Amino acid sequence: MKKRVLIVVSDYYKDISDALLKSTKKYLNKKTSLSIIKVPGVFEIPVIISKNIKKFDGFLAIGCVIRG
């Protein structure tokens, strides 16, 4: 049985997060059942994970934070 993994993507920097997501999907698709939720920023990532903590076997947070 495939493990269920939720990928939470912060797409504030869309070009960067899209490239990260593409590489992640390429690696994990064969091994897992993936679900993806996109959020506007990094602060929303823990909220989404906590709301879905019992529904998935694992979580992956993807995003980019640039100090400014």
Side-chain angles (χ1 to χ4, degrees), residues 48-66:
I48 296 299
I49 291 174
S50 67
K51 286 182 178 181
N52 290 284
I53 200 77
K54 294 186 180 186
K55 298 176 186 174
F56 293 91
D57 299 309
F59 300 90
L60 186 61
I62 296 177
C64 177
V65 177
I66 298 176

Side-chain angles (χ1 to χ4, degrees), residues 9-67:
V9 182
S10 168
D11 60 354
Y12 187 81
Y13 294 102
K14 189 158 179 50
D15 294 341
I16 296 170
S17 59
D18 284 348
L20 291 169
L21 181 59
K22 181 180 176 183
S23 297
T24 303
K25 286 169 54 177
K26 184 178 175 182
Y27 179 75
L28 290 178
N29 263 348
K30 298 172 187 167
K31 299 174 173 75
T32 58
S33 172
L34 300 177
S35 295
I36 300 167
I37 296 178
K38 292 190 176 187
V39 294
V42 295
F43 293 112
E44 293 83 6
I45 291 172
V47 174
I48 296 299
I49 291 174
S50 67
K51 286 182 178 181
N52 290 284
I53 200 77
K54 294 186 180 186
K55 298 176 186 174
F56 293 91
D57 299 309
F59 300 90
L60 186 61
I62 296 177
C64 177
V65 177
I66 298 176
R67 188 174 137 184

